[in-house]
Structures are given as C-alpha cells and as structure tokens.
C-alpha cells in the first residue's frame, strides 16, 4: 500500500523525491519505495524525513512505537515551566536571543517590556548586522482582536501599549530597515519568543494579563512536535501581517 501522506507532504512543501533524498542522505529510489510501496524506513530516517518536511513523524508513519517515542520526545522538548511570566529570570530573555544565529522572532500584541529594554534594542542591532533574520510581530492597534484583548484584561488600553512599543522601536526601524516589523490582526493565543531552536511560549489566559500567565521554555528535538507547532504559528502569522505605517504609531 502506498504512503499517500508522505507523497502529500512532499507536494505541500514543493519538494521532489530527489530533494528529500538529498536532504536526508539516502538514495532517491529508497524514498520512492517509501511512497509507492509503503515501505517503513529505519527510525533515524523517519525522524530525518519528518524534520525535513517540518511535520510530526506520526503523521507520516503510525507505528505505535513511533507514537510512544514521539510523545516522549515532545515531553523532552520542555526545558522548564514557569508559573507566571514575572517568574522568568530577568536575564533569560536576552540570554535566549543572544544565542540566536539564524532566527530571532518576537510574536506578541505589544511586548512592551522588551521594547523598553535598551539592551534588547542594542542586541537587535548586533544580530541584524550578522546573518540572523530578525522579525518583530506586534498586534494591529486598530483591529478587533486587540480591542477585545484589552477588554478581556480589564484595562482597554492594549492599542495604546502597542503604539508605545512602536514608538520605542521607531528609531531602530528607521536606522536598521533590515529588521522586519509587521502588524498582525490575529487572535493571539500565545506570545512567542523564538531564538533558533529555543523559544519561550507565554499562553494567554482569559481575564488576566500575560505577565500573570505561565511560560514554557522549549527546545527543539528531532522527532518532537511541540516546538514546531509554535514555530509554524509564527510563520503563518508573519505571512498574513502587514507593514507598519505612521498612523499606527500616532493613531491619527
């Protein structure tokens, strides 16, 4: 029986059999047998394929042993859990981003505490001078999701917090246009702070501010799916976000 899930995953990523074979270091005929004959690869090749296609390994092969193994790996991706954001060690945010070499992402509504940190702003300047892709995603201050978040938290000033953050970032965006700044209008379920294969995830909890909600420190492991779930959320939000305008900052 053919493996249509693997075939579909390749098509969704725009990859050929040859592309996948080259990426994971196997013969393309071997990959072809995985698809057309439903052959099950060695476990190391299953994990490598899942990583290359950015998909959970159990989506491609439903071997019960793989399900158990993937579950264990996903648990192992959790470095630690902080009960509230204010319990996160103050220096951890910068330490995490200091290690970034490829990806430095911030997905928030305002993330005002970061925009007010001059050391963080200096870090962004340093990173963007190298090979690191820097992307800052803030909430659209005029969108309904942001308005509702302010109501849910009981202060109704989320739009103002975002404009303050934009104002703090403005000198940086003008002097370093290679830093990506965009606004999104999504209902944000989690604030996500990513540095390469590490991230801090701050779930949003109805009725309380983000600083009172828990924070998960995650580290990506091949075969685990938790990190990639949140990383994919960043990509989807970035793809639907828009550029910042002067009106967004002034509100006029």
């Amino acid at each position: 029986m053919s493996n249509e899930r693997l075939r579909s995953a390749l098509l969704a990523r725009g990859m050929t059999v040859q592309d996948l074979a080259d990426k994971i270091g196997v013969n393309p005929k071997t990959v072809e047998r995985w698809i057309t004959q439903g052959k099950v690869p060695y476990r190391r090749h299953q994990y490598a394929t899942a990583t290359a296609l950015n998909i959970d390994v159990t989506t491609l092969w439903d071997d019960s042993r793989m399900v158990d193994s993937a579950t264990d790996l996903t648990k192992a991706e959790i470095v630690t859990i902080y009960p509230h954001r204010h319990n996160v060690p103050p220096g951890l945010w910068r330490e995490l981003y200091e290690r970034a070499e490829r990806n430095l992402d911030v997905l928030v509504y305002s993330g005002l505490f970061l925009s007010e940190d001059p050391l963080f702003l200096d870090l962004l300047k340093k990173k963007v001078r190298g090979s690191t892709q820097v992307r800052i995603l803030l909430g659209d201050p005029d969108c309904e999701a942001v308005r509702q978040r302010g109501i849910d938290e009981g202060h109704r000033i989320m739009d103002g917090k975002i404009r303050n953050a934009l104002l703090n970032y403005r000198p940086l965006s003008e002097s370093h246009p290679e830093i990506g700044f965009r606004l999104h209008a999504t209902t944000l379920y989690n604030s996500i702070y990513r540095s390469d294969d590490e991230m801090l995830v701050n779930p949003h909890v109805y009725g309380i501010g983000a600083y009172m909600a828990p924070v998960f420190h995650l580290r990506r492991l091949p075969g685990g799916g938790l990190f990639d779930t949140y990383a994919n959320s960043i990509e989807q939000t970035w793809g639907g976000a828009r550029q910042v305008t002067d009106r967004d900052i002034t509100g006029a």
Side-chain angles (χ1 to χ4, degrees):
M1 183 180 296
S2 61
N3 188 335
E4 294 304 320
R5 288 175 292 183
L6 177 54
R7 192 195 306 275
S8 297
L10 278 172
L11 290 172
R13 294 292 180 271
M15 294 175 64
T16 65
V17 167
Q18 185 69 57
D19 292 334
L20 179 59
D22 291 343
K23 198 169 185 65
I24 66 176
V26 299
N27 191 296
K29 291 183 179 179
T30 300
V31 175
E32 192 66 46
R33 285 194 291 270
W34 297 347
I35 297 173
T36 60
Q37 300 177 29
K39 298 289 186 181
V40 178
Y42 292 121
R43 187 169 297 186
R44 68 179 184 275
H45 290 149
Q46 291 184 2
Y47 286 138
T49 298
T51 299
L53 296 174
N54 199 19
I55 194 170
D56 193 285
V57 68
T58 59
T59 301
L60 301 175
W61 295 282
D62 54 8
D63 184 336
S64 61
R65 293 172 304 169
M66 293 303 304
V67 173
D68 292 340
S69 179
T71 299
D72 290 341
L73 282 168
T74 295
K75 292 178 182 177
E77 287 188 305
I78 302 174
V79 178
T80 191
I81 300 175
Y82 299 97
H84 309 289
R85 196 185 73 191
H86 63 78
N87 294 131
V88 178
L92 182 57
W93 309 90
R94 287 196 299 271
E95 290 173 15
L96 188 79
Y97 283 133
E98 185 68 54
R99 293 193 283 270
E101 297 180 353
R102 304 183 309 277
N103 303 98
L104 193 161
D105 295 319
V106 177
L107 171 56
V108 293
Y109 269 154
S110 72
L112 191 57
F113 72 102
L114 281 180
S115 73
E116 294 174 334
D117 182 356
L119 295 179
F120 175 68
L121 301 182
D122 287 342
L123 177 61
L124 295 183
K125 296 175 188 176
K126 182 177 74 171
K127 288 299 177 181
V128 83
R129 285 196 293 266
S131 59
T132 307
Q133 173 185 257
V134 178
R135 300 183 296 183
I136 310 294
L137 270 162
L138 305 181
D140 183 336
D142 294 321
C143 78
E144 177 60 26
V146 163
R147 187 190 71 83
Q148 187 61 50
R149 179 63 183 173
I151 293 173
D152 293 345
E153 290 189 1
H155 53 63
R156 299 175 182 267
I157 59 169
M158 183 60 72
D159 60 333
K161 293 171 67 175
I162 293 171
R163 295 189 203 281
N164 284 341
L166 287 170
L167 193 60
N168 293 338
Y169 283 127
R170 189 171 196 170
L172 183 63
S173 65
E174 292 176 347
S175 63
H176 292 75
E178 61 271 38
I179 297 178
F181 286 95
R182 290 189 186 181
L183 300 178
H184 66 92
T186 66
T187 299
L188 191 64
Y189 300 106
N190 306 274
S191 294
I192 305 175
Y193 309 84
R194 179 188 180 185
S195 168
D196 291 348
D197 292 333
E198 285 186 86
M199 67 170 58
L200 297 173
V201 178
N202 183 197
H204 290 189
V205 180
Y206 181 79
I208 63 173
Y211 73 98
M212 285 295 294
V215 171
F216 309 136
H217 184 178
L218 307 181
R219 181 176 292 115
R220 174 189 268 149
L221 292 175
L226 190 57
F227 182 98
D228 286 339
T229 294
Y230 290 108
N232 289 339
S233 175
I234 297 173
E235 297 305 322
Q236 292 187 40
T237 307
W238 180 262
R242 65 174 179 83
Q243 298 296 323
V244 180
T245 67
D246 287 341
R247 182 182 179 282
D248 296 316
I249 301 174
T250 64

